[in-house]
Amino acid sequence: MSDRPVLLLTRRLPEAVEARASRDYDALLNADDSQYDADALISKSAQADAILTCSTEKFSAEVIEQLDARVRAIATFSVGYEHIDVAAAAARGITVTNTPDVLTDATADIALLCLLGAARRQHESTAMLRESRWGRWDATSLLGAHVTGKRLGILGMGRIGRAVAKRARAFDMEIHYSNRSQLSAELEQGATFYQNPEDMLPNAQFLSINCPSTPETHHFLNADRIALLPDGAVVVNTARGDIVDDEALIAAAKSGKVSGIGLDVYEGEPNFHNDYLDLPNAFLLPHIGSATVDTRDAMGFRALDNLDAIFAGNQPEDKLT
Ligand code: DGY
């Protein structure tokens, strides 16, 4: 028996991350990446001093209350932590950590990809090629939304929102944002702040959703708020699917109120509202915001840094509880 802490990994992780986990812990890997439901998480916790998990596993209050008493920490391989009831973890003295910073750039890149893909009608354009429907070049088809000089409204101006703004400035977009609090002038960089998101929406010719999923942001983008957007707005969501009311957004895309949608995240993913697939003006990705080799390694290393700190008796950098 080694005296190293036992670390339960609930998902398959990048090779370099698993190698480091196995080097420094008695790592219980999920080699075939099987799905751990609540019962599995509870029963496997009997062997674990800490759990390294992903946003795909739900640590509800009910699960957390039944975790084995030996579990000291839950480190999530994600910046979002809506899948963990942090109050329940705190009540049991379990430290929870996430992985901010390291996925900011990759996720902001995907937001711009969604924005441009939706604005410039990537889905219809590529389908035309793939289905051999490309005829003579013409001056009037596949005309998209022009980005230069347009107003981009960013909902949630944390690290990722600011990285989206930085990229959008390179496209000469005008930045508007709504956030819990106004940023310093240095971080704001001339962007226009709205305390009330409803006041920003009429200015958002493009809207990028970059806020966390919380009870307050659940279905934020509903029919009433979509009505506040300028006609023909483009909507991008790379944060969490449940911030959008799917029925309302799909109806707006069908009516033309919204001219393009760029989504990387969906409520209930990997099951999602199938009507999105029928929308010609939707640019759809399967939650790949952080999916680069460098980023996924960095996320795993950041989660392990946090666990190393906890087992060394120090404060982890990304302590949530
Ligand atoms: C995150 O880190 O929150 C990504 O969306 C992956 O879950």
Side-chain angles (χ1 to χ4, degrees), residues 79 99-111 158-164 166-167 210 238 289-290 295 299 302:
V79 65
T99 59
D101 297 322
V102 290
L103 44 66
T104 298
D105 289 326
T107 307
D109 291 347
I110 286 293
R159 298 173 186 85
I160 296 173
R162 297 200 297 275
V164 169
K166 179 178 172 187
R167 284 154 178 73
N210 298 104
T238 54
S290 62
T295 300
M299 289 166 72
R302 183 93 175 210

Side-chain angles (χ1 to χ4, degrees), residues 105-168:
D105 289 326
T107 307
D109 291 347
I110 286 293
L112 265 291
L113 180 63
C114 286
L115 189 151
L116 291 171
R120 300 302 298 273
R121 303 175 63 169
Q122 179 279 338
H123 176 66
E124 293 156 278
S125 303
T126 304
M128 182 186 269
L129 280 179
R130 290 187 182 276
E131 292 160 14
S132 307
R133 289 188 283 104
W134 190 20
R136 274 190 313 152
W137 180 93
D138 75 87
T140 55
S141 57
L142 290 173
L143 306 186
H146 197 66
V147 163
T148 314
K150 296 286 171 61
R151 294 188 296 273
L152 170 64
I154 300 179
L155 183 70
M157 200 66 153
R159 298 173 186 85
I160 296 173
R162 297 200 297 275
V164 169
K166 179 178 172 187
R167 284 154 178 73

Side-chain angles (χ1 to χ4, degrees), residues 55 77-80 103 240 287 290 299:
S55 58
F77 181 95
S78 61
V79 65
L103 44 66
R240 284 293 184 264
H287 201 155
S290 62
M299 289 166 72

Side-chain angles (χ1 to χ4, degrees), residues 122-268:
Q122 179 279 338
H123 176 66
E124 293 156 278
S125 303
T126 304
M128 182 186 269
L129 280 179
R130 290 187 182 276
E131 292 160 14
S132 307
R133 289 188 283 104
W134 190 20
R136 274 190 313 152
W137 180 93
D138 75 87
T140 55
S141 57
L142 290 173
L143 306 186
H146 197 66
V147 163
T148 314
K150 296 286 171 61
R151 294 188 296 273
L152 170 64
I154 300 179
L155 183 70
M157 200 66 153
R159 298 173 186 85
I160 296 173
R162 297 200 297 275
V164 169
K166 179 178 172 187
R167 284 154 178 73
R169 284 188 187 100
F171 288 90
D172 288 333
M173 298 189 87
E174 192 184 286
I175 311 300
H176 298 245
Y177 75 99
S178 185
N179 198 45
R180 264 173 306 198
S181 53
Q182 182 163 11
L183 302 181
S184 65
E186 193 193 343
L187 291 179
E188 201 172 59
Q189 303 235 329
T192 306
F193 171 66
Y194 302 82
Q195 183 74 56
N196 182 352
E198 280 84 10
D199 293 337
M200 176 183 77
L201 294 177
N203 293 297
Q205 292 167 301
F206 291 76
L207 175 68
S208 177
I209 298 176
N210 298 104
C211 59
S213 159
T214 64
E216 293 72 46
T217 62
H218 183 79
H219 285 191
F220 166 83
L221 196 64
N222 57 18
D224 289 346
R225 295 199 178 95
I226 289 172
L228 297 174
L229 292 168
D231 289 346
V234 170
V235 172
V236 171
N237 187 10
T238 54
R240 284 293 184 264
D242 73 304
I243 299 166
V244 166
D245 175 343
D246 289 329
E247 294 283 350
L249 187 58
I250 289 164
K254 283 184 179 160
S255 73
K257 170 69 187 175
V258 162
S259 68
I261 299 177
L263 299 179
D264 185 43
V265 289
Y266 307 85
E267 183 162 26

